[in-house]
Amino acid sequence: MFKKCMFGIGLMLTLSLGLLSCSSDDDGDSKDCDSCSAQGQTIELCDNGDGTFTLSAGGESETFPASDLEGVDPGEFIDAVCELANLGS
């Protein structure tokens, strides 16, 4: 009985460690992005995970430090950008 219990615990630990190691194996391509549409184009703001953001629109992009957001939530920032872009049309 004790051997079965130890085998079960060992199997559970092995599976748990296997799942944990797989979940942290990111390929680095997944980014946290917010987007909206303005004048028929998608405008996207992505958190690069290194203290910078990339703003992309119309095939062009610009990377800037997070401090340039001046404490504004990235989702609110991209909404404001799209609102301004739609006002200009």
Side-chain angles (χ1 to χ4, degrees):
M1 177 80 164
F2 183 71
K3 287 183 182 181
K4 286 184 182 179
C5 185
M6 290 304 292
F7 176 74
I9 291 173
L11 182 61
M12 287 177 47
L13 284 173
T14 303
L15 289 174
S16 296
L17 291 175
L19 290 174
L20 289 175
S21 67
C22 290
S23 67
S24 65
D25 291 343
D26 286 339
D27 57 6
D29 291 337
S30 65
K31 292 182 179 178
D32 183 20
C33 298
D34 292 294
S35 63
C36 63
S37 183
Q39 299 181 3
Q41 292 192 15
T42 299
I43 300 174
E44 185 175 61
L45 179 68
C46 294
D47 183 346
N48 298 320
D50 62 357
T52 64
F53 284 85
T54 300
L55 182 65
S56 303
E60 296 186 27
S61 63
E62 181 178 342
T63 300
F64 57 91
S67 61
D68 284 1
L69 291 177
E70 296 183 358
V72 175
D73 178 74
E76 293 174 357
F77 179 83
I78 196 69
D79 289 343
V81 168
C82 283
E83 190 174 317
L84 289 172
N86 283 326
L87 286 176
S89 59

